[in-house]
Amino acid sequence: MTRPGLGAAACFLAGLVLGVGSSAWRAAGEARPLPAAPGGAPLLIASETSAATVVGTVGPAVHLDVRGLAADLVVERVLAGAIRPGSRQRIAWEEVSPQRALRFPEGAKLVVALEPLPSGSLWRTRFPEGKALAVAARGNAFLREPDTATLDALAAYLALEPPHRSDAPGVSALLALAADGHPSLAAAALAKLETARELDARLTEAGCDNYRRLLNDAGRPLSIRLQALELAGRRALRSLRSSIAPLARPGSPLEATALAALAQSDGGLSKSAVAARLLRPDAAIREVAVRFARAGIDDARLEALMQEDPAPEVRAASLEILMERRGS
């Protein structure tokens, strides 16, 4: 049975959606700027080769042309480079999309990597006398409102001579940045460690302490802690085994990833460990058991799991292991 007045109300609402209301919402959506460029992660790599990495407060931005902007930066702290604290530096960058919010609003505090202006004719037109520095990484080597812990950790890394940044001191400093720094720089530090040569041999006691601190800090983003565990697994970092083992126990929010990391560094799970974990209700744990069982699971068991396990990720893992053994 239809309630009186419902049809009229529905027509009124439809009129709003299709008519005036639709136009107003569309106009509001068009007027709303896109989020400002995030910066963050590119800062770490750029700061290693830039002319200077500094902390300062930015002044009002000036449009040089459609895409080019410039502003003064009052330098408060120098993390690397020959710029003098207290000086005023002219910095320049481009905003590719005019719909983006300004990346450096007046009064914002920044840590930024700076480099000489590009040599192209457009930049020579913008700055005929060349009296400015460009924000490195195509304008993305910055972090807004950095905290002291991030600045101290980044400064400690940049204070190392370049050859030492890929050695034990650099590994320890990157892990300190991962443990204490802004999440975007923490993720960049862990990504950089992925490519470090002989990483396990370069893990000192200080480095292991920084790693342990990161894993055990429930206040750090879960994504960063998981990334740190995945790094340890992919690189088979046995030096970190004692730090990872407690997190592979039942009840830990990192259990599955920690178990996988241990299995990768140990060369697989034991037969008893596989059997016990295949009985667990958590599909992520069963998937790890399948992927790292090695000889601890036979083909008949894999076939049964492929057909009968209620979790698609476990069925898929079982199929993948069977294909590795038998060929596609």
Side-chain angles (χ1 to χ4, degrees):
M1 181 177 178
T2 304
R3 290 198 300 264
L6 184 59
C11 290
F12 174 74
L13 290 174
L16 285 177
V17 171
L18 297 176
V20 177
S22 172
S23 300
W25 293 337
R26 185 165 56 251
E30 291 171 353
R32 187 180 300 116
L34 298 172
L43 173 63
L44 177 61
I45 301 301
S47 65
E48 295 191 69
T49 56
S50 63
T53 301
V54 301
V55 183
T57 301
V58 69
V62 175
H63 283 268
L64 305 172
D65 49 37
V66 175
R67 294 171 55 173
L69 293 98
D72 285 343
L73 183 76
V74 178
V75 178
E76 301 168 9
R77 180 178 177 183
V78 178
L79 305 188
I83 289 177
R84 181 172 53 84
S87 64
R88 186 181 296 269
Q89 301 293 324
R90 193 70 166 166
I91 64 172
W93 70 97
E94 288 187 335
E95 295 286 359
V96 177
S97 171
Q99 295 180 329
R100 272 198 180 278
L102 191 64
R103 72 185 64 197
F104 302 142
E106 182 179 359
K109 185 174 181 178
L110 312 172
V111 54
V112 58
L114 301 171
E115 62 186 10
L117 291 171
S119 59
S121 59
L122 178 59
W123 284 98
R124 288 198 300 271
T125 301
R126 289 168 174 168
F127 295 96
E129 299 179 1
K131 293 183 177 180
L133 290 168
V135 178
R138 301 176 66 86
N140 292 302
F142 69 91
L143 182 66
R144 287 182 288 266
E145 306 302 330
D147 60 277
T148 301
T150 296
L151 296 178
D152 289 347
L154 180 58
Y157 177 69
L158 295 178
L160 298 171
E161 292 295 327
H164 296 309
R165 291 175 187 166
S166 59
D167 210 341
V171 169
S172 180
L174 286 171
L175 285 171
L177 184 58
D180 300 323
H182 185 276
S184 63
L185 290 184
L190 292 172
K192 188 170 178 62
L193 288 170
E194 286 277 7
T195 60
R197 294 182 299 106
E198 300 176 349
L199 181 56
D200 201 32
R202 289 176 163 79
L203 280 166
T204 61
E205 184 176 347
C208 291
D209 286 344
N210 289 334
Y211 184 84
R212 188 179 305 110
R213 197 156 49 80
L214 167 59
L215 287 189
N216 293 326
D217 185 356
R220 295 297 282 167
L222 183 62
S223 61
I224 300 299
R225 299 164 75 198
L226 290 172
Q227 185 182 354
L229 286 170
E230 290 165 356
L231 165 69
R234 279 191 291 268
R235 298 301 304 273
L237 302 179
R238 292 193 59 80
S239 300
L240 301 176
R241 197 184 191 290
S242 61
S243 301
I244 297 170
L247 299 174
R249 295 169 183 158
S252 166
L254 304 172
E255 181 187 358
T257 309
L259 181 64
L262 292 178
Q264 287 171 289
S265 63
D266 293 347
L269 295 171
S270 68
K271 188 173 184 178
S272 60
V274 171
R277 285 164 175 82
L278 284 176
L279 298 175
R280 294 280 298 277
D282 187 341
I285 300 298
R286 298 199 306 279
E287 181 186 0
V288 171
V290 169
R291 291 195 181 280
F292 300 102
R294 303 297 187 262
I297 188 170
D298 59 26
D299 287 7
R301 182 74 168 118
L302 284 172
E303 289 176 359
L305 288 167
M306 182 182 68
Q307 298 175 37
E308 300 169 4
D309 194 280
E313 58 266 41
V314 178
R315 298 198 299 273
S318 303
L319 173 60
E320 289 173 24
I321 300 302
L322 278 171
M323 290 174 66
E324 288 178 10
R325 292 182 180 182
R326 300 176 178 176
S328 59

